[in-house]
């Protein structure tokens, strides 16, 4: 998938229709950045073409430009090129082959270890480190940084897919990447050029009536609009040869049985072993 053409950028109605199907919100202000955002789709088939020189550093500059809570910058990224390591990471992620295939793989780390080292060097106890709040900040910082990298990559005509399945076995990932205590891979990110042979349609989202509230939370539109979205996702699934049909069916599969967590239900205990106290 190449960068957007001038026609794509101008065609806001088409972009909104791809994102929402029939439940089209009114078109508002528009520009190239918004067109790029609305054109997002995860890609799971990559060409072997390398990313241009300097791309990694540009993506990291974009990532570091994200807002970060109190400028604490509680995240790091690890670029993994070693094929043997990629193979293990793909296995951990339930054999997600794109981890081995993509030219650039980044592991995003919720990283409290740097500030822990600072606390030791400065001989000051950072009393706030063991609290859930700080762990949440580290995860939020990592996610915001990664999403900036995603937007930057997509603006360059590259495609990406997040790999939350790093959390299937965080201890093994931790060891493989030589992380210190209080550092944890929240997710990985595959980056590269989309293989034109793989299906990469824009995936519709819930109607705005379901996620956008005015003044007060209102769950009432869900009853009316979930079937609308289910129908939209059923058509999307059929076009893209995906297993479950409706969104409801997919959520039942993903959130119903504990086995769908693929080991992530043990994450709290693992985090404790990785040095996160989380009070
Ligand atoms: C934190 C996070 C973790 C994800 N983990 C995976 C993953 O392990 N494997 C995968 O194929 N997709 C993964 N995804 C991609 C989502 O499945 C995808 O974003 C979602 O289905 C919406 O599709 P879209 O990105 O094409 O719009 C992840 C996305 C996020 C945000």
């Amino acid at each position: 998938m190449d960068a957007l053409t001038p026609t794509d950028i101008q065609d806001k109605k088409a972009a909104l229709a791809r994102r929402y199907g029939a439940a089209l919100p009114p078109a508002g202000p528009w520009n190239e950045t918004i067109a790029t955002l609305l054109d997002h789709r995860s890609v799971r088939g990559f060409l072997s073409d390398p990313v241009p020189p300097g791309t990694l550093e540009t993506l990291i500059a974009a990532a570091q430009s994200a807002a970060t809570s109190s400028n604490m910058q509680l995240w790091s990224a690890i670029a993994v090129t070693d094929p043997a390591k990629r193979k293990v990471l793909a296995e951990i992620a339930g054999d997600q082959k794109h981890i081995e295939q993509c030219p650039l793989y980044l592991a995003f780390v919720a990283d409290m270890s740097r500030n822990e080292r600072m606390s030791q060097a400065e001989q000051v106890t950072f009393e706030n480190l063991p609290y859930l709040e700080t762990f949440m900040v580290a995860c939020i910082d990592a996610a915001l940084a990664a999403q900036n990298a995603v937007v930057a990559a997509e603006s360059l005509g590259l495609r990406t897919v997040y790999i939350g399945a790093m959390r299937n076995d965080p201890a093994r990932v931790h060891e493989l990447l030589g992380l210190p205590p209080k550092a944890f891979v929240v997710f990985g990110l595959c980056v590269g050029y989309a293989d034109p042979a793989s299906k990469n349609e824009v995936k519709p989202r819930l109607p705005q009536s379901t996620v956008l509230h005015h003044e007060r939370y209102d769950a009432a539109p869900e009853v009316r609009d979930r079937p609308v979205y289910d129908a939209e996702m059923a058509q999307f699934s059929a076009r893209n040869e995906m297993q479950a049909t409706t969104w409801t069916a997919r959520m039942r599969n993903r959130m119903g049985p504990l086995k769908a967590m693929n080991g992530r239900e043990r994450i709290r205990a693992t985090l404790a072993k990785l040095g996160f106290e989380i009070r």
Side-chain angles (χ1 to χ4, degrees):
M1 183 67 53
D2 294 320
L4 294 173
T5 65
T7 321
D8 295 333
I9 291 161
Q10 278 157 28
D11 202 349
K12 58 180 158 183
K13 200 159 176 207
L16 286 165
R18 278 195 292 274
R19 183 57 73 204
Y20 290 107
L24 208 64
W30 198 255
N31 60 27
E32 193 171 344
T33 305
I34 298 166
T36 302
L37 290 169
L38 265 87
D39 192 58
H40 161 79
R41 71 283 304 273
S42 294
V43 157
R44 297 172 182 84
F46 293 95
L47 299 175
S48 57
D49 304 18
V51 298
T55 301
L56 169 61
E57 292 75 12
T58 299
L59 298 189
I60 295 301
Q64 287 193 275
S65 300
T68 152
S69 193
S70 304
N71 203 24
M72 284 189 281
Q73 307 177 62
L74 293 176
W75 67 277
S76 295
I78 303 186
V80 186
T81 47
D82 176 8
K85 280 203 183 104
R86 293 262 203 119
K87 193 166 188 291
V88 177
L89 293 174
E91 263 169 41
I92 291 170
D95 283 327
Q96 297 200 46
K97 291 293 172 207
H98 30 277
I99 297 174
E100 292 179 75
Q101 199 181 48
C102 64
L104 176 60
Y105 188 72
L106 294 171
F108 277 88
V109 182
D111 189 0
M112 288 154 45
S113 78
R114 190 165 43 237
N115 288 45
E116 163 105 318
R117 290 189 291 278
M118 183 194 272
S119 140
Q120 286 160 0
E122 294 295 312
Q123 297 181 324
V124 180
T125 304
F126 282 3
E127 290 180 2
N128 300 347
L129 269 180
Y131 286 88
L132 174 61
E133 161 64 12
T134 309
F135 179 71
M136 281 175 65
V137 164
C139 293
I140 294 167
D141 272 6
L144 296 177
Q147 185 57 23
N148 259 22
V150 166
V151 174
E154 291 179 347
S155 75
L156 294 169
L158 292 159
R159 290 294 179 187
T160 66
V161 64
Y162 281 100
I163 305 294
M166 292 293 91
R167 300 192 303 276
N168 290 357
D169 193 346
R172 205 163 157 215
V173 175
H174 189 270
E175 197 191 337
L176 189 75
L177 301 184
L179 294 182
K182 295 192 174 60
F184 154 71
V185 173
V186 200
F187 45 73
L189 187 70
C190 299
V191 183
Y193 292 103
D195 181 347
S198 67
K199 292 211 171 195
N200 301 315
E201 232 184 275
V202 167
K203 191 181 283 180
R205 294 292 195 262
L206 286 163
Q208 290 197 358
S209 57
T210 319
V211 302
L212 172 64
H213 306 268
H214 294 277
E215 311 303 342
R216 227 186 125 71
Y217 193 94
D218 178 12
E222 279 170 22
V223 181
R224 186 192 64 214
D225 289 343
R226 182 149 60 92
V228 176
Y229 186 54
D230 272 340
E232 205 63 59
M233 279 302 292
Q235 286 170 27
F236 173 89
S237 301
R239 285 196 305 274
N240 291 274
E241 294 143 21
M242 289 160 68
Q243 274 173 354
T245 51
T246 63
W247 184 63
T248 302
R250 291 181 73 77
M251 292 307 104
R252 286 172 64 129
N253 289 348
R254 177 63 177 82
M255 307 199 78
L258 197 57
K259 70 173 170 42
M261 290 193 81
N262 290 317
R264 298 184 212 176
E265 68 278 10
R266 294 188 291 272
I267 214 158
R268 200 183 172 122
T270 309
L271 283 171
K273 286 184 195 147
L274 302 183
F276 293 93
E277 206 177 313
I278 314 195
R279 283 183 207 157

